[in-house]
Amino acid sequence: MSNLERDPVELRCHAEGAGAAIEVLRPRDVPLGGPRAMPVRRTLPQRGRTTIGAWCFADHYGPDDVAETGGMVVPPHPHTGLQTVSWLFQGEIEHRDSTGSHALVRPGAVNLMTAGHGISHSEVSTPATTTLHGVQLWVALPDGSRDVAPFFEHAEVGEASVDDAVVRVFVGTLPGLDDEAAVTVFTPLVAAQIDLPAGGEAWIELEPGFEHGILVDRGPVHLAIAATEDEDLEAMVGGDPLAVAGHTATLERAELGYLPPRHEGVRLRAGAEPVRVVLLGGTPFGEELVMWWNFIGRSHEEVAEFRRQWQSEVIGRDNPDGRFGTVADYPGEALPAPELPTVRLKPRS
């Protein structure tokens, strides 16, 4: 998905130090597109926290009535230095890109596109889609891999039972589960959908070296985390870790709970309503990034050059075989880049 904000801001991405408590991040509403823009709720990036592992962008949308919102209509647009991960709860989206890939995004399958050196793609909800509901995620590629040749992957995702939960891991793997998602990553990562029935509870094992985020699609959900260093939450309060201040939280729909590294697991509890969350995680991403519009680079000059090439090669039709290529059979024009801000884009370490 493109970042279609009218005035995209510079996003200064950095890895944060580990803390003890669950941090609750609230979304901001972003309209994507024109007067009938599809609304999304964005929890990453934001000023307080810009990455969770290498996850650097999280949009949560729906359930949207396509008759009212117009659905998803995103013309060809560019990406560099990142991967896009598309995961749906409901609906269907048609994907086309400049590598020649043409695929449908449906519930139960993941589409992962590696932009690397440069790619362009389009995303359009299909005519059969009446309700659109899902998440769009970005992964920042590490410096040694960010110039790889672009490619596209589609994989069906199985499910596993963990206590009362149904877990679908669509990127990476979770401790205690045998299956690993059949898509390529360049840093240690995990992404999973976790569903709980009303009143249900599950203990989800975590990789202690990862930081994690829990994005709520249906809720509220009650969380408790257990640390790996001399913190036995069960013993501290008579067997109920939900009573430990600083290690517990109740997340409402569309909120994202941040869990710092050095935790061996999280307990999820549903109340009177069923729960659906998306768990994201990865090793803290320590590299400096400059992230603007649909580009991820390492300096102002690099991002400005990406924009110049897109405007020249694709919008100006000077070199359709250049960095970003062309999206075959898309019935419309590509998306022009917005103007760069009048100040330099600066990375933050």
Side-chain angles (χ1 to χ4, degrees):
M1 182 186 293
S2 172
N3 177 16
L4 296 182
E5 290 182 272
R6 294 180 185 278
D7 299 302
V9 296
E10 170 195 1
L11 301 171
R12 300 182 178 184
C13 301
H14 60 287
E16 317 259 350
I22 298 170
E23 178 184 352
V24 179
L25 307 178
R26 293 178 174 83
R28 61 190 178 98
D29 293 332
V30 177
L32 297 186
R36 287 170 60 86
M38 188 183 86
V40 303
R41 297 170 293 277
R42 184 165 296 164
T43 47
L44 280 181
Q46 52 181 272
R47 294 185 186 279
R49 183 163 301 282
T50 50
T51 58
I52 296 177
W55 300 101
C56 63
F57 190 94
D59 277 358
H60 173 217
Y61 53 90
D64 289 334
D65 183 345
V66 170
E68 292 183 3
T69 66
M72 184 182 293
V73 182
V74 184
H77 57 279
H79 289 294
T80 58
L82 58 86
Q83 295 176 292
T84 67
V85 178
S86 301
W87 182 253
L88 283 177
F89 309 127
Q90 194 172 0
E92 185 179 69
I93 297 171
E94 184 179 35
H95 165 98
R96 297 177 186 271
D97 68 42
S98 55
T99 71
S101 299
H102 180 203
L104 294 175
V105 188
R106 296 188 176 111
V110 61
N111 279 11
L112 186 148
M113 183 185 74
T114 299
H117 180 76
I119 201 170
S120 56
H121 75 131
S122 63
E123 293 169 297
V124 179
S125 50
T126 63
T129 299
T130 57
T131 302
L132 199 57
H133 188 189
V135 292
Q136 179 73 26
L137 310 165
W138 290 4
V139 178
L141 290 172
D143 192 58
S145 304
R146 67 191 182 97
D147 203 41
V148 298
F151 60 95
F152 176 84
E153 296 169 292
H154 171 95
E156 300 294 324
V157 175
E159 61 183 51
S161 295
V162 179
D163 298 332
D164 297 329
V166 175
V167 179
R168 298 171 177 86
V169 180
F170 56 93
V171 174
T173 189
L174 275 174
L177 299 182
D178 294 332
D179 292 340
E180 184 171 359
V183 290
T184 304
V185 294
F186 294 86
T187 55
L189 291 174
V190 67
Q193 176 183 325
I194 304 173
D195 292 84
L196 278 173
E201 180 176 332
W203 170 255
I204 305 298
E205 289 187 51
L206 301 177
E207 169 55 53
F210 284 11
E211 53 187 355
H212 292 86
I214 296 178
L215 175 63
V216 182
D217 177 62
R218 290 179 180 168
V221 62
H222 308 285
L223 310 182
I225 50 177
T228 58
E229 296 180 2
D230 62 24
E231 292 183 274
D232 184 349
L233 298 186
E234 298 281 351
M236 289 172 68
V237 283
D240 186 2
L242 292 178
V244 183
H247 294 276
T248 69
T250 297
L251 301 180
E252 303 294 334
R253 181 174 182 270
E255 291 182 335
L256 186 149
Y258 171 77
L259 285 57
R262 300 201 311 272
H263 289 90
E264 62 186 17
V266 59
R267 190 180 304 280
L268 306 179
R269 285 183 182 171
E273 300 294 331
V275 160
R276 179 193 287 147
V277 302
V278 173
L279 172 70
L280 304 174
T283 53
F285 193 82
E287 298 182 21
E288 291 188 335
L289 301 174
V290 175
M291 181 174 166
W292 178 83
W293 196 46
N294 295 308
F295 305 125
I296 292 183
R298 297 300 188 273
S299 68
H300 172 94
E301 289 77 14
E302 191 174 47
V303 170
E305 177 60 15
F306 294 154
R307 181 192 181 277
R308 186 200 66 78
Q309 289 176 330
W310 172 253
Q311 290 295 101
S312 171
E313 293 173 3
V314 179
I315 304 303
R317 304 177 189 273
D318 289 343
N319 183 11
D321 298 320
R323 177 185 291 269
F324 300 105
T326 57
V327 178
D329 300 324
Y330 182 80
E333 298 296 318
L335 192 69
E339 295 295 327
L340 281 164
T342 56
V343 297
R344 286 181 57 82
L345 308 174
K346 297 180 180 179
R348 182 186 294 180
S349 61

